[in-house]
Amino acid sequence: MEIFPSIDLLIPQKSPFVMVDNCIFHSEELTRSEFLIGFENVLVDEGFLTAYGLIENMAQTAAIRAGLEAYNRNNTPPVGYIGTISNAVISELPKVGNIIVTSVKQKTQLLNIIVIEAECKIEEKLLAQCEM
């Protein structure tokens, strides 16, 4: 099992706006994160992580990919920007106490513009997906 650096070394976001707990898998094609939804989370509303929280979780999982590359070169994590979100589907909002696993696959890259596919699940149940 591979051990990854702490999230605060991989993404530029800081508390209370961190929507990932750790990286659980990384390869050239795929990155996976895990996130335990806490009641105190700023994007929780009435006991559920909002759609904005799911989108931010997917974006931060994508940031882990870039952060690992920077970390391996002894650099700080880069600040990225979401240019567009497409084909977004939110099927269900997760509850406080749920652990979501988010997968990000890089589709294409042109210079510093990267297009990813992302999905959030609880076990095998799909909660959300999109392209960014």
Side-chain angles (χ1 to χ4, degrees), residues 29-67:
E29 300 83 30
L30 177 70
T31 301
R32 281 201 178 104
S33 73
E34 194 173 61
F35 182 50
L36 170 62
I37 301 163
F39 184 76
E40 73 290 345
N41 186 288
V42 296
L43 294 179
V44 163
D45 185 37
E46 297 184 13
F48 292 87
L49 184 66
T50 64
Y52 301 112
L54 287 170
I55 296 289
E56 185 60 28
N57 170 266
M58 290 186 273
Q60 289 185 22
T61 302
I64 289 171
R65 290 183 64 77

Side-chain angles (χ1 to χ4, degrees), residues 15 22 43 64 86 112:
S15 184
N22 54 64
L43 294 179
I64 289 171
S86 61
N112 63 345

